[in-house]
Amino acid sequence: MTGIVTLTAAGAIDATYRVGILRRGAFARADSYTREVSGKGVNVSAALAAGGAPTAAVVVLGADDVRFARCGLTAPLLRIVEVPGATRVNTSIVDADGATTKVNAPTPPLSAEAWDATVSAVRDELAAREQPWLVISGSLPELAGTHALVDLTAVRAAARERGARVAVDTSGAALDALLADPAGIDLLTPNVDELSAAVGRPLTTLGDVVTAAREIVARGVGIVLASMGADGLLAVTDQRVVFARAEAPHVANTAGAGDAALAGFLLGLTRAPAAEAAGADPLAVAAASAAEWGAHAVAHASTLVAGPPQGIRALVDTEPDLTRALNPEGDA
């Protein structure tokens, strides 16, 4: 069985409040409230499943919330690694203008036993699939009793053993550690701020983004999929650049758009052989799919998407104007 395995080492419960007006320091009563099992890898798997791809989401969750997780819409996708206590809660507040204010709870540390169980779950899910993808998403927790993040060496080794291609969507210290040793990373998905931090300089044009992405590719990464928020996205390899942008029908909630875009890119790659046989550009097909799924997610009130994009078509440019300036507010 082929498929895509996602790893969320810091699972979460996403709480989304919709309010009319959000004012700092003022009382606000929510018009609606949703609560769902989340974490970036879970979001990716949910979008993949909505697109018809076989997927499994390895996710670390607190025991207090496992019953809730097993009753949710994503329950069939979840491979839960249970740890004591409650799962962290990430809160999104969406106002009437569609602006999303997001507060993520701190990532709790994992015990060595819990991390071993997580690695074992990833290994088992990869072993059940032929030529799979492994998507490592979101924050990485510290190993309990240390001041160091959990070590991905065993996870990456499991991917190599199974011939899995590896996609990574993380930031901060976890991204720094991976970029110091990027061997075996086939796809990296930073936003502009994360890419800027990785190369140590501001990025103000499409050309700046491409140059920075190529520096990452030169370290051994296959493809950099750089998200520029409202400015669209760029898929960059050592030889190619593809720009794609899709307009959302409306803005309901920007949380989770990057996860849906990653899922869309992977869904596009699964169609690459057929696209190439039909004379289409596989990288352009994947980039268009990423932009369309990202726009689709923005129009959803919740973090998780339901069903594939309908009526959303991406603008794709295989020779973009690299002098184009980025919108300072473009990255969400």
Side-chain angles (χ1 to χ4, degrees), residues 2-6 41 44-50 53-57 76-78 125 129:
T2 60
I4 300 169
V5 178
T6 65
V44 172
S45 280
L48 289 167
T55 183
L77 310 177
L78 303 181
E125 291 297 331
R129 292 161 172 80

Side-chain angles (χ1 to χ4, degrees), residues 205-278:
T205 67
L206 292 189
D208 290 344
V209 177
V210 171
T211 299
R214 286 240 164 94
E215 290 179 24
I216 303 304
V217 169
R219 301 183 195 181
V221 174
I223 303 172
V224 171
L225 182 67
S227 168
M228 302 178 295
D231 285 313
L233 56 84
L234 286 167
V236 182
T237 71
D238 59 345
Q239 299 290 328
R240 300 283 315 284
V241 176
V242 176
F243 168 85
R245 183 179 181 277
E247 196 74 38
H250 61 276
V251 177
N253 185 0
T254 57
D259 304 326
L262 171 53
F265 192 81
L266 294 173
L267 288 166
L269 288 181
T270 65
R271 300 196 296 268
E276 195 165 17

Side-chain angles (χ1 to χ4, degrees), residues 190-194 227-232 327-332:
N191 62 33
V192 169
D193 289 341
E194 291 160 353
S227 168
M228 302 178 295
D231 285 313
N327 178 353
E329 302 300 325
D331 191 55

Side-chain angles (χ1 to χ4, degrees), residues 47-165:
L48 289 167
T55 183
V58 176
V59 57
V60 177
L61 295 175
D64 295 358
D65 299 292
V66 167
R67 182 178 178 184
F68 169 71
R70 288 181 173 149
C71 294
L73 294 176
T74 58
L77 310 177
L78 303 181
R79 174 71 185 272
I80 298 172
V81 178
E82 189 173 325
V83 296
T87 306
R88 68 187 180 126
V89 176
N90 294 339
T91 302
S92 296
I93 304 173
V94 185
D95 65 26
D97 293 329
T100 303
T101 301
K102 190 166 178 62
V103 180
N104 285 359
T107 301
L110 277 187
S111 68
E113 293 77 14
W115 180 238
D116 287 345
T118 304
V119 174
S120 178
V122 170
R123 186 178 290 113
D124 290 347
E125 291 297 331
L126 290 176
R129 292 161 172 80
E130 296 296 328
Q131 297 182 323
W133 274 89
L134 171 63
V135 180
I136 302 169
S137 285
S139 304
L140 293 180
E142 287 187 356
L143 194 65
T146 75
H147 295 291
L149 299 179
V150 293
D151 187 353
L152 290 174
T153 300
V155 172
R156 296 168 71 179
R160 285 194 299 272
E161 291 164 8
R162 298 305 307 170
R165 289 173 287 178

